[in-house]
Amino acid sequence: MMTAHDYPSAMFCERAELDVVLVGDSLAMVALGYESTNQVTLDEMLHHCRAVARGAKTPFLIGDLPFGTYETSAEHALRSSIRMVQDGRMEAVKLEGGHELAPTIRKITSVGIPVLAHIGLTPQRAASLGGFRVQGKTADRALRLIDDALAVADAGAFAVVLEAIPEAVATEITKRVGIPTIGIGAGAGCSGQVLVALDALGVYDRLSPKFCKTYGEVGKMSTDALAAYVKDVRERKFPESGKHTYPMAKGEEDKFAAAVAKSA
Ligand SMILES: Nc1nc(=O)c2c([nH]1)NC[C@@H]1CN(c3ccc(C(=O)N[C@@H](CCC(=O)O)C(=O)O)cc3)CN21
Ligand SMILES: CC(C)C(=O)C(=O)O
Ligand SMILES: [Mg+2]
Protein backbone atom coordinates (compact mmCIF):
# COMPACT_ATOMS: atom_id res chain seq x y z
CA MET A 1 0.00 0.00 0.00
CA MET A 2 1.17 3.52 -0.79
CA THR A 3 -0.42 6.91 -0.30
CA ALA A 4 -1.20 9.09 -3.29
CA HIS A 5 -2.70 12.57 -3.33
CA ASP A 6 -3.15 13.61 -6.95
CA TYR A 7 -3.46 12.33 -10.52
CA PRO A 8 0.26 11.80 -11.24
CA SER A 9 1.08 10.15 -7.90
CA ALA A 10 -1.91 7.84 -8.46
CA MET A 11 -0.68 6.99 -11.98
CA PHE A 12 2.76 6.13 -10.59
CA CYS A 13 1.08 3.78 -8.08
CA GLU A 14 -0.95 2.17 -10.85
CA ARG A 15 2.11 1.62 -13.04
CA ALA A 16 4.18 0.31 -10.11
CA GLU A 17 1.40 -2.23 -9.46
CA LEU A 18 0.52 -1.19 -5.90
CA ASP A 19 -2.28 -3.37 -4.52
CA VAL A 20 -3.83 -0.59 -2.47
CA VAL A 21 -3.71 3.20 -2.69
CA LEU A 22 -4.58 5.32 0.33
CA VAL A 23 -5.48 8.97 -0.03
CA GLY A 24 -4.01 9.77 3.38
CA ASP A 25 -4.77 12.92 5.33
CA SER A 26 -0.96 13.27 5.44
CA LEU A 27 -1.57 15.12 2.17
CA ALA A 28 -2.44 18.06 4.45
CA MET A 29 1.26 18.28 5.28
CA VAL A 30 3.01 16.87 2.21
CA ALA A 31 0.78 18.28 -0.55
CA LEU A 32 -0.83 21.35 1.03
CA GLY A 33 1.84 22.56 3.44
CA TYR A 34 -0.33 22.59 6.57
CA GLU A 35 1.40 22.22 9.94
CA SER A 36 -0.63 19.14 10.88
CA THR A 37 -3.12 16.72 9.38
CA ASN A 38 -5.94 18.17 11.49
CA GLN A 39 -6.38 21.25 9.31
CA VAL A 40 -7.55 19.44 6.19
CA THR A 41 -11.33 19.36 5.57
CA LEU A 42 -13.50 16.64 4.06
CA ASP A 43 -14.11 18.81 0.98
CA GLU A 44 -10.37 19.25 0.46
CA MET A 45 -9.85 15.50 0.87
CA LEU A 46 -12.60 14.75 -1.65
CA HIS A 47 -10.97 17.01 -4.24
CA HIS A 48 -7.77 14.93 -3.92
CA CYS A 49 -9.65 11.62 -3.78
CA ARG A 50 -11.34 12.30 -7.12
CA ALA A 51 -7.99 13.09 -8.75
CA VAL A 52 -6.48 9.86 -7.37
CA ALA A 53 -9.49 7.85 -8.57
CA ARG A 54 -8.90 9.20 -12.09
CA GLY A 55 -5.22 8.19 -11.98
CA ALA A 56 -5.39 4.77 -10.30
CA LYS A 57 -7.89 2.34 -11.83
CA THR A 58 -6.53 -1.02 -10.67
CA PRO A 59 -5.51 -0.61 -7.00
CA PHE A 60 -8.10 -0.77 -4.20
CA LEU A 61 -8.80 2.84 -3.17
CA ILE A 62 -9.10 3.95 0.45
CA GLY A 63 -9.87 7.47 1.64
CA ASP A 64 -8.68 8.73 5.04
CA LEU A 65 -11.52 10.32 7.01
CA PRO A 66 -10.04 13.63 8.18
CA PHE A 67 -10.16 14.91 11.77
CA GLY A 68 -13.61 16.07 12.84
CA THR A 69 -15.62 14.07 10.30
CA TYR A 70 -16.27 10.83 12.23
CA GLU A 71 -15.74 11.35 15.98
CA THR A 72 -18.98 12.99 17.11
CA SER A 73 -21.35 10.15 16.22
CA ALA A 74 -21.59 6.96 14.21
CA GLU A 75 -24.19 8.69 12.01
CA HIS A 76 -21.84 11.57 11.23
CA ALA A 77 -19.11 9.03 10.45
CA LEU A 78 -21.44 7.18 8.10
CA ARG A 79 -22.41 10.41 6.32
CA SER A 80 -18.73 11.31 5.86
CA SER A 81 -18.00 7.79 4.63
CA ILE A 82 -20.81 7.94 2.08
CA ARG A 83 -19.35 11.19 0.76
CA MET A 84 -15.94 9.49 0.45
CA VAL A 85 -17.52 6.80 -1.72
CA GLN A 86 -20.01 8.93 -3.67
CA ASP A 87 -18.15 12.23 -4.14
CA GLY A 88 -14.59 10.99 -3.62
CA ARG A 89 -14.86 7.81 -5.71
CA MET A 90 -13.19 5.77 -2.93
CA GLU A 91 -13.97 2.11 -2.25
CA ALA A 92 -13.25 2.12 1.49
CA VAL A 93 -12.52 4.56 4.32
CA LYS A 94 -9.89 4.70 7.05
CA LEU A 95 -10.29 6.15 10.54
CA GLU A 96 -7.96 6.52 13.51
CA GLY A 97 -8.83 4.85 16.79
CA GLY A 98 -9.34 1.60 18.68
CA HIS A 99 -12.08 0.07 20.83
CA GLU A 100 -13.83 3.44 21.36
CA LEU A 101 -14.64 3.49 17.63
CA ALA A 102 -16.07 -0.04 17.47
CA PRO A 103 -19.72 1.16 17.23
CA THR A 104 -18.69 3.60 14.45
CA ILE A 105 -16.92 0.84 12.50
CA ARG A 106 -20.04 -1.37 12.93
CA LYS A 107 -22.26 1.42 11.58
CA ILE A 108 -20.13 2.17 8.50
CA THR A 109 -19.55 -1.48 7.59
CA SER A 110 -23.25 -2.33 8.11
CA VAL A 111 -24.11 -0.54 4.86
CA GLY A 112 -21.28 -2.13 2.89
CA ILE A 113 -18.49 0.44 3.16
CA PRO A 114 -15.27 -1.36 4.11
CA VAL A 115 -13.34 0.22 6.99
CA LEU A 116 -9.58 0.20 7.54
CA ALA A 117 -8.76 0.97 11.19
CA HIS A 118 -5.55 2.72 12.33
CA ILE A 119 -4.01 2.30 15.79
CA GLY A 120 -0.69 3.03 17.51
CA LEU A 121 0.61 6.47 16.53
CA THR A 122 -2.59 8.14 15.40
CA PRO A 123 -1.41 11.52 14.05
CA GLN A 124 -4.82 13.19 14.45
CA ARG A 125 -4.35 12.69 18.22
CA ALA A 126 -0.70 13.81 18.27
CA ALA A 127 -1.43 16.54 20.84
CA SER A 128 -2.59 14.02 23.44
CA LEU A 129 0.15 11.54 22.51
CA GLY A 130 2.82 14.17 23.20
CA GLY A 131 3.69 14.52 19.52
CA PHE A 132 4.61 11.95 16.90
CA ARG A 133 5.80 9.37 19.48
CA VAL A 134 6.26 5.63 19.23
CA GLN A 135 3.32 3.88 20.98
CA GLY A 136 3.05 0.63 22.94
CA LYS A 137 6.59 0.62 24.33
CA THR A 138 5.58 -0.79 27.74
CA ALA A 139 4.02 -4.23 28.29
CA ASP A 140 0.88 -2.59 29.66
CA ARG A 141 0.48 -0.26 26.65
CA ALA A 142 1.27 -3.08 24.24
CA LEU A 143 -1.52 -5.21 25.71
CA ARG A 144 -3.93 -2.30 25.25
CA LEU A 145 -2.93 -2.11 21.59
CA ILE A 146 -3.70 -5.83 21.18
CA ASP A 147 -7.14 -5.21 22.73
CA ASP A 148 -7.72 -2.30 20.34
CA ALA A 149 -6.75 -4.42 17.32
CA LEU A 150 -9.09 -7.21 18.43
CA ALA A 151 -11.90 -4.70 19.05
CA VAL A 152 -11.68 -3.07 15.60
CA ALA A 153 -11.47 -6.50 13.95
CA ASP A 154 -14.51 -7.69 15.90
CA ALA A 155 -16.38 -4.52 14.85
CA GLY A 156 -15.81 -5.42 11.18
CA ALA A 157 -12.68 -3.57 10.07
CA PHE A 158 -11.22 -5.44 7.07
CA ALA A 159 -7.63 -4.58 8.07
CA VAL A 160 -5.77 -2.39 10.55
CA VAL A 161 -2.87 0.04 10.13
CA LEU A 162 -0.25 -0.29 12.88
CA GLU A 163 1.78 2.93 13.03
CA ALA A 164 5.02 3.42 14.98
CA ILE A 165 4.84 0.53 17.44
CA PRO A 166 7.60 -1.89 18.43
CA GLU A 167 8.22 -4.74 16.00
CA ALA A 168 7.49 -7.42 18.62
CA VAL A 169 4.11 -5.87 19.43
CA ALA A 170 3.09 -5.60 15.75
CA THR A 171 4.15 -9.19 15.11
CA GLU A 172 2.05 -10.41 18.05
CA ILE A 173 -0.99 -8.38 16.91
CA THR A 174 -0.63 -9.81 13.41
CA LYS A 175 -0.63 -13.37 14.81
CA ARG A 176 -3.62 -12.75 17.06
CA VAL A 177 -5.96 -10.57 15.01
CA GLY A 178 -7.93 -12.29 12.27
CA ILE A 179 -7.49 -9.50 9.70
CA PRO A 180 -4.44 -8.21 7.75
CA THR A 181 -2.21 -5.68 9.49
CA ILE A 182 -0.60 -2.88 7.46
CA GLY A 183 2.56 -1.56 9.09
CA ILE A 184 4.18 1.86 8.98
CA GLY A 185 7.04 1.83 11.46
CA ALA A 186 5.87 -1.53 12.82
CA GLY A 187 8.29 -3.99 11.23
CA ALA A 188 8.16 -6.80 8.68
CA GLY A 189 5.96 -9.00 10.89
CA CYS A 190 2.90 -7.15 9.57
CA SER A 191 0.84 -8.55 6.69
CA GLY A 192 1.57 -5.52 4.48
CA GLN A 193 3.28 -2.14 4.52
CA VAL A 194 2.34 1.47 3.76
CA LEU A 195 4.44 4.60 3.27
CA VAL A 196 3.65 8.16 2.28
CA ALA A 197 4.54 8.47 -1.42
CA LEU A 198 6.32 11.81 -1.12
CA ASP A 199 8.48 10.33 1.67
CA ALA A 200 9.35 7.23 -0.40
CA LEU A 201 10.11 9.48 -3.38
CA GLY A 202 12.38 11.78 -1.39
CA VAL A 203 10.26 14.89 -1.88
CA TYR A 204 9.01 15.79 1.60
CA ASP A 205 11.88 16.56 3.97
CA ARG A 206 10.25 18.45 6.85
CA LEU A 207 9.75 15.22 8.83
CA SER A 208 12.09 12.25 8.89
CA PRO A 209 10.57 9.40 10.89
CA LYS A 210 12.96 6.49 11.45
CA PHE A 211 10.55 4.21 9.58
CA CYS A 212 10.88 6.08 6.26
CA LYS A 213 12.99 4.67 3.48
CA THR A 214 13.75 6.84 0.46
CA TYR A 215 13.44 4.95 -2.82
CA GLY A 216 14.18 7.90 -5.07
CA GLU A 217 15.56 11.43 -5.02
CA VAL A 218 12.63 13.01 -6.80
CA GLY A 219 12.85 16.20 -4.75
CA LYS A 220 16.47 16.78 -5.76
CA MET A 221 15.79 15.74 -9.36
CA SER A 222 12.90 18.21 -9.56
CA THR A 223 14.93 21.10 -8.13
CA ASP A 224 17.89 20.32 -10.39
CA ALA A 225 15.64 20.09 -13.45
CA LEU A 226 13.96 23.43 -12.72
CA ALA A 227 17.34 25.08 -12.03
CA ALA A 228 18.62 23.78 -15.40
CA TYR A 229 15.56 25.31 -17.09
CA VAL A 230 16.16 28.67 -15.40
CA LYS A 231 19.81 28.61 -16.49
CA ASP A 232 18.90 27.72 -20.11
CA VAL A 233 16.30 30.48 -20.35
CA ARG A 234 18.64 33.11 -18.88
CA GLU A 235 21.41 32.03 -21.30
CA ARG A 236 18.90 31.85 -24.20
CA LYS A 237 19.75 28.18 -24.81
CA PHE A 238 16.06 27.36 -24.58
CA PRO A 239 13.95 27.35 -26.68
CA GLU A 240 16.06 26.19 -29.67
CA SER A 241 15.01 27.53 -33.05
CA GLY A 242 13.38 24.80 -35.13
CA LYS A 243 13.44 22.25 -32.32
CA HIS A 244 10.99 23.98 -29.98
CA THR A 245 9.47 26.53 -32.40
CA TYR A 246 6.89 26.59 -35.21
CA PRO A 247 7.49 27.70 -38.83
CA MET A 248 4.97 29.81 -40.74
CA ALA A 249 2.96 28.18 -43.53
CA LYS A 250 4.83 27.49 -46.81
CA GLY A 251 5.65 30.72 -48.70
CA GLU A 252 4.13 32.93 -46.00
CA GLU A 253 7.43 33.98 -44.48
CA ASP A 254 8.47 35.95 -47.59
CA LYS A 255 5.00 37.52 -47.86
CA PHE A 256 5.13 38.42 -44.19
CA ALA A 257 8.59 40.02 -44.53
CA ALA A 258 7.38 42.07 -47.50
CA ALA A 259 4.23 43.16 -45.70
CA VAL A 260 6.22 44.14 -42.61
CA ALA A 261 8.70 46.14 -44.71
CA LYS A 262 5.79 47.99 -46.39
CA SER A 263 3.97 48.82 -43.17
CA ALA A 264 7.11 49.96 -41.31
N1 LIG B 1 5.43 13.09 5.34
C1 LIG B 1 4.75 12.43 6.29
N2 LIG B 1 5.03 11.14 6.53
C2 LIG B 1 4.36 10.47 7.49
O1 LIG B 1 4.63 9.25 7.67
C3 LIG B 1 3.35 11.14 8.21
C4 LIG B 1 3.10 12.50 7.92
N3 LIG B 1 3.82 13.12 6.97
N4 LIG B 1 2.16 13.22 8.57
C5 LIG B 1 1.24 12.53 9.42
C6 LIG B 1 1.91 11.45 10.13
C7 LIG B 1 2.96 11.92 11.10
N5 LIG B 1 3.86 10.82 11.13
C8 LIG B 1 5.05 10.79 11.85
C9 LIG B 1 5.87 11.89 11.93
C10 LIG B 1 7.05 11.87 12.64
C11 LIG B 1 7.44 10.72 13.30
C12 LIG B 1 8.72 10.71 14.07
O2 LIG B 1 9.59 11.49 13.81
N6 LIG B 1 8.87 9.78 15.01
C13 LIG B 1 10.07 9.63 15.80
C14 LIG B 1 9.73 8.79 17.01
C15 LIG B 1 10.12 9.45 18.28
C16 LIG B 1 9.96 8.51 19.46
O3 LIG B 1 8.84 8.37 19.97
O4 LIG B 1 10.96 7.88 19.82
C17 LIG B 1 11.16 8.90 15.01
O5 LIG B 1 12.32 9.06 15.36
O6 LIG B 1 10.84 8.15 14.07
C18 LIG B 1 6.61 9.60 13.24
C19 LIG B 1 5.43 9.63 12.49
C20 LIG B 1 3.44 9.80 10.22
N7 LIG B 1 2.63 10.52 9.24
C1 LIG C 1 0.54 6.89 6.68
C2 LIG C 1 -0.89 6.53 6.52
C3 LIG C 1 -1.25 5.32 7.28
C4 LIG C 1 -1.81 7.69 6.80
O1 LIG C 1 -2.68 7.64 7.63
C5 LIG C 1 -1.66 8.91 6.00
O2 LIG C 1 -0.85 8.96 5.06
O3 LIG C 1 -2.39 9.87 6.28
MG1 LIG D 1 -3.72 9.48 7.90
Side-chain angles (χ1 to χ4, degrees):
M1 182 188 302
M2 182 62 72
T3 73
H5 60 275
D6 60 5
Y7 180 73
S9 58
M11 271 197 321
F12 300 149
C13 288
E14 165 97 35
R15 290 176 191 162
E17 298 184 17
L18 267 295
D19 293 317
V20 187
V21 166
L22 169 70
V23 185
D25 61 347
S26 56
L27 73 81
M29 298 169 76
V30 303
L32 300 176
Y34 289 128
E35 287 301 319
S36 93
T37 58
N38 289 2
Q39 272 120 52
V40 74
T41 65
L42 183 56
D43 284 321
E44 288 175 304
M45 286 297 295
L46 293 170
H47 182 67
H48 287 269
C49 287
R50 286 192 292 271
V52 168
R54 289 189 288 266
K57 299 292 180 193
T58 314
F60 186 61
L61 300 179
I62 307 174
D64 228 353
L65 290 174
F67 181 69
T69 67
Y70 62 93
E71 300 90 338
T72 58
S73 70
E75 286 70 26
H76 186 202
L78 177 56
R79 260 198 302 279
S80 302
S81 302
I82 289 171
R83 289 202 68 202
M84 270 291 184
V85 171
Q86 195 163 45
D87 300 342
R89 297 276 172 251
M90 296 290 103
E91 294 166 299
V93 298
K94 180 166 82 59
L95 44 72
E96 296 182 10
H99 65 278
E100 74 284 0
L101 285 176
T104 299
I105 295 170
R106 282 205 173 81
K107 183 82 178 177
I108 299 170
T109 54
S110 75
V111 303
I113 300 175
V115 174
L116 173 61
H118 179 167
I119 64 172
L121 197 182
T122 45
Q124 294 174 8
R125 303 179 184 191
S128 65
L129 301 178
F132 297 135
R133 314 295 308 174
V134 176
Q135 300 297 304
K137 289 180 81 160
T138 65
D140 182 54
R141 294 285 182 156
L143 288 173
R144 280 203 243 168
L145 281 177
I146 294 177
D147 287 344
D148 278 332
L150 293 172
V152 297
D154 184 61
F158 71 87
V160 58
V161 168
L162 305 179
E163 177 162 348
I165 69 175
E167 199 169 9
V169 180
T171 302
E172 182 59 24
I173 291 174
T174 304
K175 280 187 197 151
R176 294 263 295 270
V177 74
I179 55 175
T181 60
I182 311 296
I184 173 163
C190 297
S191 318
Q193 300 293 327
V194 63
L195 279 180
V196 173
L198 291 186
D199 291 338
L201 294 172
V203 174
Y204 189 78
D205 54 13
R206 292 185 61 191
L207 287 176
S208 49
K210 188 182 178 190
F211 58 68
C212 283
K213 180 173 173 185
T214 305
Y215 286 87
E217 295 297 343
V218 177
K220 184 183 176 344
M221 283 183 63
S222 302
T223 308
D224 291 351
L226 296 178
Y229 162 75
V230 168
K231 186 169 183 288
D232 268 10
V233 169
R234 289 194 174 132
E235 294 174 1
R236 302 206 168 265
K237 288 181 179 154
F238 173 84
E240 287 175 51
S241 184
K243 193 170 177 185
H244 307 114
T245 61
Y246 305 99
M248 290 186 75
K250 260 207 164 26
E252 292 298 312
E253 238 161 90
D254 288 347
K255 271 199 229 167
F256 180 54
V260 167
K262 211 171 133 185
S263 73

Coordinates of all heavy atoms in Angstrom, one line a residue, residues 110-150:
S110 N -21.9 -1.7 8.2 CA -23.2 -2.3 8.1 C -23.9 -2.0 6.8 O -24.8 -2.7 6.3 CB -24.1 -1.9 9.3 OG -24.6 -0.5 9.1
V111 N -23.5 -0.9 6.2 CA -24.1 -0.5 4.9 C -23.2 -0.9 3.7 O -23.4 -0.5 2.6 CB -24.5 1.0 4.8 CG1 -25.4 1.3 5.9 CG2 -23.2 1.8 4.8
G112 N -22.1 -1.6 4.0 CA -21.3 -2.1 2.9 C -20.1 -1.2 2.5 O -19.6 -1.3 1.4
I113 N -19.7 -0.4 3.4 CA -18.5 0.4 3.2 C -17.4 -0.2 4.0 O -17.5 -0.2 5.2 CB -18.7 1.9 3.5 CG1 -19.8 2.5 2.7 CG2 -17.4 2.7 3.3 CD1 -20.1 4.0 3.0
P114 N -16.4 -0.7 3.3 CA -15.3 -1.4 4.1 C -14.5 -0.3 4.9 O -14.2 0.8 4.4 CB -14.4 -2.0 3.0 CG -15.2 -2.0 1.8 CD -16.1 -0.9 1.9
V115 N -14.1 -0.7 6.1 CA -13.3 0.2 7.0 C -12.0 -0.3 7.3 O -11.8 -1.5 7.7 CB -14.1 0.5 8.3 CG1 -13.2 1.3 9.3 CG2 -15.4 1.2 8.0
L116 N -10.9 0.5 7.1 CA -9.6 0.2 7.5 C -9.4 1.0 8.8 O -9.6 2.2 8.9 CB -8.6 0.7 6.5 CG -7.1 0.6 6.8 CD1 -6.6 -0.8 7.1 CD2 -6.3 1.2 5.6
A117 N -9.0 0.3 9.9 CA -8.8 1.0 11.2 C -7.3 1.4 11.3 O -6.5 1.0 10.4 CB -9.1 0.1 12.4
H118 N -6.9 2.2 12.2 CA -5.6 2.7 12.3 C -5.3 2.9 13.8 O -5.9 3.8 14.4 CB -5.5 4.0 11.5 CG -4.2 4.7 11.5 ND1 -3.9 5.8 10.6 CD2 -3.0 4.6 12.3 CE1 -2.6 6.2 10.9 NE2 -2.1 5.5 11.9
I119 N -4.3 2.2 14.4 CA -4.0 2.3 15.8 C -2.5 2.5 16.0 O -1.7 2.4 15.0 CB -4.5 1.1 16.6 CG1 -3.8 -0.2 16.2 CG2 -6.0 0.9 16.5 CD1 -4.1 -1.4 17.1
G120 N -2.1 2.8 17.2 CA -0.7 3.0 17.5 C -0.5 4.5 17.5 O -1.2 5.3 18.2
L121 N 0.5 5.0 16.7 CA 0.6 6.5 16.5 C -0.5 6.9 15.6 O -0.5 6.7 14.4 CB 2.0 6.8 15.9 CG 2.5 8.2 16.1 CD1 3.8 8.4 15.4 CD2 1.6 9.3 15.6
T122 N -1.5 7.6 16.2 CA -2.6 8.1 15.4 C -2.4 9.7 15.3 O -2.6 10.4 16.3 CB -3.9 7.8 16.1 OG1 -3.8 8.1 17.5 CG2 -4.3 6.3 15.9
P123 N -1.9 10.1 14.1 CA -1.4 11.5 14.0 C -2.5 12.6 14.4 O -2.2 13.6 14.9 CB -1.0 11.6 12.6 CG -0.6 10.2 12.2 CD -1.5 9.4 12.9
Q124 N -3.8 12.2 14.1 CA -4.8 13.2 14.4 C -4.9 13.4 16.0 O -5.5 14.4 16.4 CB -6.2 12.7 13.9 CG -6.2 12.7 12.4 CD -7.5 12.0 11.8 OE1 -8.5 11.8 12.6 NE2 -7.6 11.8 10.5
R125 N -4.3 12.5 16.8 CA -4.3 12.7 18.2 C -3.0 13.0 18.8 O -2.7 12.8 19.9 CB -4.8 11.4 18.9 CG -6.2 11.0 18.4 CD -6.7 9.7 19.0 NE -7.9 9.2 18.5 CZ -8.7 8.2 19.0 NH1 -8.2 7.6 20.1 NH2 -9.8 7.9 18.5
A126 N -2.1 13.6 17.9 CA -0.7 13.8 18.3 C -0.6 14.7 19.5 O 0.3 14.4 20.4 CB 0.0 14.5 17.1
A127 N -1.5 15.6 19.7 CA -1.4 16.5 20.8 C -1.5 15.8 22.1 O -0.8 16.0 23.1 CB -2.5 17.6 20.8
S128 N -2.4 14.8 22.2 CA -2.6 14.0 23.4 C -1.6 12.9 23.6 O -1.4 12.3 24.6 CB -4.0 13.5 23.6 OG -4.3 12.6 22.6
L129 N -0.9 12.6 22.5 CA 0.1 11.5 22.5 C 1.5 12.2 22.8 O 2.5 11.5 22.9 CB 0.2 10.8 21.2 CG -1.0 10.1 20.7 CD1 -0.8 9.4 19.3 CD2 -1.5 9.0 21.7
G130 N 1.5 13.5 22.9 CA 2.8 14.2 23.2 C 3.7 14.3 21.9 O 4.9 14.3 22.0
G131 N 3.0 14.4 20.8 CA 3.7 14.5 19.5 C 3.7 13.2 18.8 O 3.0 12.3 19.1
F132 N 4.5 13.2 17.7 CA 4.6 11.9 16.9 C 5.5 10.9 17.6 O 6.7 10.8 17.2 CB 5.1 12.3 15.5 CG 4.2 13.2 14.7 CD1 4.7 14.3 14.0 CD2 2.8 13.0 14.6 CE1 3.9 15.1 13.3 CE2 2.0 13.8 13.9 CZ 2.5 14.9 13.2
R133 N 5.0 10.3 18.6 CA 5.8 9.4 19.5 C 5.5 7.9 19.2 O 4.3 7.6 18.9 CB 5.5 9.6 21.0 CG 5.5 11.1 21.4 CD 6.9 11.8 21.3 NE 7.9 11.0 21.9 CZ 9.2 11.3 21.8 NH1 9.6 12.4 21.1 NH2 10.1 10.6 22.4
V134 N 6.5 7.1 19.3 CA 6.3 5.6 19.2 C 5.3 5.2 20.3 O 5.4 5.7 21.5 CB 7.6 4.9 19.3 CG1 7.4 3.4 19.4 CG2 8.5 5.3 18.2
Q135 N 4.4 4.3 20.0 CA 3.3 3.9 21.0 C 3.5 2.4 21.4 O 4.1 1.7 20.6 CB 1.9 4.1 20.4 CG 1.6 5.5 20.0 CD 1.6 6.4 21.2 OE1 0.8 6.2 22.1 NE2 2.4 7.5 21.1
G136 N 3.0 2.0 22.5 CA 3.1 0.6 22.9 C 4.4 0.1 23.3 O 4.8 -1.0 23.1
K137 N 5.2 1.0 24.0 CA 6.6 0.6 24.3 C 6.7 -0.2 25.6 O 7.6 -0.9 25.9 CB 7.5 1.8 24.4 CG 7.8 2.4 23.0 CD 8.7 3.6 23.1 CE 10.2 3.3 23.2 NZ 11.1 4.4 22.8
T138 N 5.6 0.0 26.5 CA 5.6 -0.8 27.7 C 4.6 -2.0 27.6 O 3.7 -1.9 26.7 CB 5.1 0.1 28.9 OG1 3.7 0.4 28.7 CG2 5.9 1.3 29.1
A139 N 4.8 -3.0 28.4 CA 4.0 -4.2 28.3 C 2.5 -3.9 28.4 O 1.7 -4.4 27.7 CB 4.5 -5.2 29.4
D140 N 2.3 -3.0 29.4 CA 0.9 -2.6 29.7 C 0.2 -1.9 28.4 O -0.9 -2.2 28.0 CB 0.9 -1.6 30.9 CG -0.5 -1.2 31.2 OD1 -1.3 -2.1 31.5 OD2 -0.8 0.0 31.3
R141 N 1.0 -1.0 27.8 CA 0.5 -0.3 26.6 C 0.4 -1.2 25.5 O -0.6 -1.1 24.6 CB 1.4 0.9 26.3 CG 1.4 2.0 27.4 CD 0.2 2.8 27.3 NE 0.2 3.9 28.2 CZ -0.5 5.0 28.1 NH1 -1.3 5.2 27.0 NH2 -0.5 6.0 29.0
A142 N 1.3 -2.1 25.4 CA 1.3 -3.1 24.2 C 0.0 -4.0 24.3 O -0.6 -4.2 23.3 CB 2.5 -3.9 24.3
L143 N -0.3 -4.4 25.5 CA -1.5 -5.2 25.7 C -2.8 -4.4 25.3 O -3.7 -5.0 24.7 CB -1.6 -5.7 27.2 CG -0.6 -6.8 27.5 CD1 -0.7 -7.1 29.0 CD2 -0.9 -8.1 26.7
R144 N -2.8 -3.1 25.6 CA -3.9 -2.3 25.3 C -4.0 -2.2 23.7 O -5.1 -2.1 23.2 CB -3.8 -0.9 25.9 CG -4.2 -0.9 27.3 CD -4.6 0.5 27.8 NE -3.8 0.9 28.8 CZ -3.7 2.2 29.3 NH1 -4.5 3.1 28.7 NH2 -2.9 2.5 30.2
L145 N -2.9 -2.2 23.1 CA -2.9 -2.1 21.6 C -3.5 -3.4 21.0 O -4.3 -3.4 20.0 CB -1.5 -1.9 21.0 CG -1.0 -0.4 21.1 CD1 0.4 -0.3 20.5 CD2 -1.9 0.5 20.2
I146 N -3.1 -4.5 21.6 CA -3.7 -5.8 21.2 C -5.2 -5.8 21.3 O -6.0 -6.2 20.4 CB -3.1 -7.0 22.0 CG1 -1.6 -7.1 21.6 CG2 -3.8 -8.3 21.6 CD1 -0.9 -8.2 22.4
D147 N -5.7 -5.3 22.5 CA -7.1 -5.2 22.7 C -7.8 -4.3 21.7 O -8.9 -4.6 21.2 CB -7.4 -4.7 24.1 CG -7.1 -5.7 25.2 OD1 -7.0 -6.9 24.9 OD2 -7.0 -5.3 26.4
D148 N -7.2 -3.2 21.4 CA -7.7 -2.3 20.3 C -7.8 -3.0 19.0 O -8.8 -2.9 18.3 CB -6.9 -1.0 20.2 CG -7.2 0.0 21.3 OD1 -8.4 0.0 21.7 OD2 -6.3 0.8 21.7
A149 N -6.8 -3.7 18.6 CA -6.7 -4.4 17.3 C -7.9 -5.5 17.3 O -8.6 -5.6 16.3 CB -5.4 -5.1 17.1
L150 N -8.0 -6.2 18.4 CA -9.1 -7.2 18.4 C -10.5 -6.6 18.4 O -11.4 -7.1 17.7 CB -8.9 -8.1 19.7 CG -7.7 -9.0 19.8 CD1 -7.5 -9.6 21.2 CD2 -7.7 -10.0 18.7

